[in-house]
Amino acid sequence: MSAVPYEPVADPQPVDQIREPRRTAFDRITAHREAAKHPIVVPWVRDRDQRDPILRWAAGYSWHVARFHAVRLPVYVLRVLRRSPVGLGRAIRWVVDGMTDSEARPLRKSAVVRDDVREYMQLARERNARVRHRAVAAVVGGVLVAAFLVWLLLVATGPLFWAGLAAAVAVLGVIGRDREKPLITRATTPLHLAPVLRADVVEVALRALPGVVKKDARIEFPDPVTRDGPGYLARVNLPVGVTPQDVMGKRAALASGLRRPIGCVWPAPGPHHGGQLDLWVGDQDLATARQPVYPLLEKGVADVFGRLPYGTNQRNGKVGVQLIENNALIGAMVGQGKTSAMRVLALGCALDVTAELRVWELKGSGDLGALEQLAHTYGSGQDDETIRGCLEDLRAIRAEVERRAGEIKKIAKRSPEMCPNNKVTRDLANRRDLGLHPMVVLLDEVQNLFSHETYGKEAGKLALDIIRLGRAFGVMLVQATQRPDADSLPKGISSNAGIRIALRVMDDYANNAILGAGMYAAGIRATDFTVRDKGIAWLVGVEDEPLVAKSFNITTGMAERVCERARKLREQAGRLTGHAIGATVEGKGADLLTDVRKVLAELGQDWVWSKVAAERLAELRPDVYRGWTADTFGAAMKGRGVATKQINRTGPDGLRHNWWGVELGQLPDATGSASTSG
Ligand SMILES: Nc1ncnc2c1ncn2[C@@H]1O[C@H](COP(=O)(O)OP(=O)(O)OP(=O)(O)O)[C@@H](O)[C@H]1O
């Protein structure tokens, strides 16, 4: 940082004695010229993502209201009929009362009792004048009513008569309505509307925080409280020595002082100095506020090198997460939305056809099952077999990181401009020949891996190596855990994760284990979230400052839809690999291993080269295997746990070749127990 140049001021003055300069017309014009221009059309009308949900809501709301009242129409008719005689009585009474000036009658009586002739005469004159005016109005009204009755009884026939009668009854029903019981039932009960946030309310709430603001300490509002998105922003200069973190640590007490739900109250450091607080108070609790739908649900693709859609913040603004060159750790108590948070990131990766996904959901719930159709490796379960599969995959990924490091080194030597800082770039990732595409490894309920008696230790070491070394080479680990303790989450793993996401956690230990040391003390507390706050998390490492966001709520059905679209995109781009190819085969009602056995039986051999197998499979079931190459076959077999190997045999051409293929002995036996080798 360069030093600020110092030039002595000719005539120094203490600043507190300088008078506020007078603003000239030029100053004011300049201020307007530099002023932020308000948009001509309100932004939500132009933004499809905001406009469509509002229009959809308006249509849905109108439809609900229309149906609600249509069903109750007969009840409304009965109510009006019942009240119409009362209405007739009321109308006659109004006329009589008006013509006799009944409202001033007590005054006239009082004047008579007091023998006050002058006052009585005065009141009598006023009554006569009033009654004269009212008589004119009554005559006009009476003529109109009489004309209406003549028309109704003598002229109107058929539907016109009934319509006229209904209108007359409706008017009388409305006049005779009971003030306690409305004629029309409400179709909705609006939410309690939050009161406007005022500076004095904020000040009272801040002063009431236990042990934060001393009595008589000054609290200032540099700007007036303003409307900011769906809430209010109060910028506060806290008393000297008090920090925003002191307030952030007492969010629940602050919410109590403001008389709002805690999910509406979001204090954060202000932009100008260390004692400034930006208090944003939402109209609605973040847990219940309406959220835009996942933007890539129906169309669009993502880029792992850019920001992947994650969710929305308190202001309903979109929050994206940049995974490339990062590793992510997600932690929370059971059932708060860890897997959903992981899934929303995974869907983004799925929609980048270049990204290879390796998915290990180590609970066995199938929550990430939608990704199976496009994942290079996939496992679901907490049994030893799945954990071992995951470990083997980590070994392969570790080796892949090594290979990529060598590849990058070669490229950097050959043409340094292609990989600045010795890192994978989008251009390098797009080149298939280099194999430097993004590789995203999802490990859900990772505590089941790291605390495994046999495989846990090695898995922890491999994961740590991958986290430390893989970033620059496009390999990223996204892990989720519900137990961030030392046994279940090796220390280096949490401290090396660049992106940390904490949904509701139990205590400060878990909070800091996921978000990083000191976060709880700094007021970044995922302990403040309640059971209702599903999907809401503190995110660290996504922006310069920690932020709160709610992940897009994606149901299993939505995830399936997105993944089906992603699989098609990958098929078109020829980017389906490994397990996904096997899954596609199964999706078309075939079983790869059974078909390979058939091919071997047809050939009368106990081995087959991949190239030959691909051709024979395509003849066997063209709808499933058409277009397969030796590589496709190798990847698909690997996805089924059978690695191809080099087989040195004489072919039908009489020549000997050492090509890749599989042997019958490698295939799992009929009972399904794998006898994998190679
Ligand atoms: N962004 C969200 N908005 C609304 N509801 C959500 C959101 N994210 C998750 N949920 C709800 O929270 C519940 C739990 O989600 P999820 O299975 O992802 O949690 P989890 O922490 O992985 O649970 P477990 O510990 O049991 O695996 C689900 O019913 C889901 O609908």
Side-chain angles (χ1 to χ4, degrees), residues 287 291 310-311 330-343 361 363 365 367 444-445 447 480-482 503 531-536 549-555:
Q291 206 189 13
Y310 175 80
I330 304 169
M333 287 164 71
V334 180
Q336 285 299 127
K338 287 183 304 295
T339 311
S340 302
M342 176 178 265
R343 194 164 59 183
E361 178 265 298
K363 187 165 103 179
S365 60
D367 282 348
D444 191 17
E445 304 292 359
Q447 72 280 355
T481 181
Q482 53 173 266
L503 299 109
V531 183
R532 286 183 337 130
D533 292 333
K534 294 196 191 311
I536 303 179
K550 182 175 183 183
S551 63
F552 286 115
N553 190 12
I554 295 174
T555 60

Side-chain angles (χ1 to χ4, degrees), residues 53-125:
I54 291 174
L55 293 182
R56 258 200 306 275
W57 169 83
Y61 181 81
S62 315
W63 177 230
H64 165 77
V65 172
R67 279 183 311 158
F68 183 91
H69 293 310
V71 168
R72 283 164 185 75
L73 205 58
V75 180
Y76 297 160
V77 171
L78 281 179
R79 282 184 194 159
V80 167
L81 274 177
R82 221 179 49 221
R83 299 305 297 183
S84 57
V86 182
L88 184 62
R90 251 181 218 170
I92 294 171
R93 211 177 56 236
W94 284 346
V95 174
V96 173
D97 286 353
M99 297 305 292
T100 54
D101 191 28
S102 64
E103 72 267 32
R105 196 176 295 137
L107 294 176
R108 289 195 297 275
K109 266 194 186 151
S110 151
V112 171
V113 171
R114 282 184 282 112
D115 274 344
D116 189 339
V117 178
R118 273 185 60 186
E119 188 181 329
Y120 178 79
M121 292 308 290
Q122 171 73 18
L123 288 169
R125 267 197 303 277

Side-chain angles (χ1 to χ4, degrees), residues 326-378:
N326 254 319
N327 292 279
L329 174 66
I330 304 169
M333 287 164 71
V334 180
Q336 285 299 127
K338 287 183 304 295
T339 311
S340 302
M342 176 178 265
R343 194 164 59 183
V344 75
L345 291 176
L347 292 186
C349 298
L351 287 168
D352 178 341
V353 293
T354 62
E356 176 180 313
L357 278 157
R358 295 177 177 240
V359 182
W360 294 96
E361 178 265 298
L362 303 175
K363 187 165 103 179
S365 60
D367 282 348
L368 299 177
L371 294 155
E372 182 175 2
Q373 56 190 304
L374 47 85
H376 182 79
T377 54
Y378 177 86

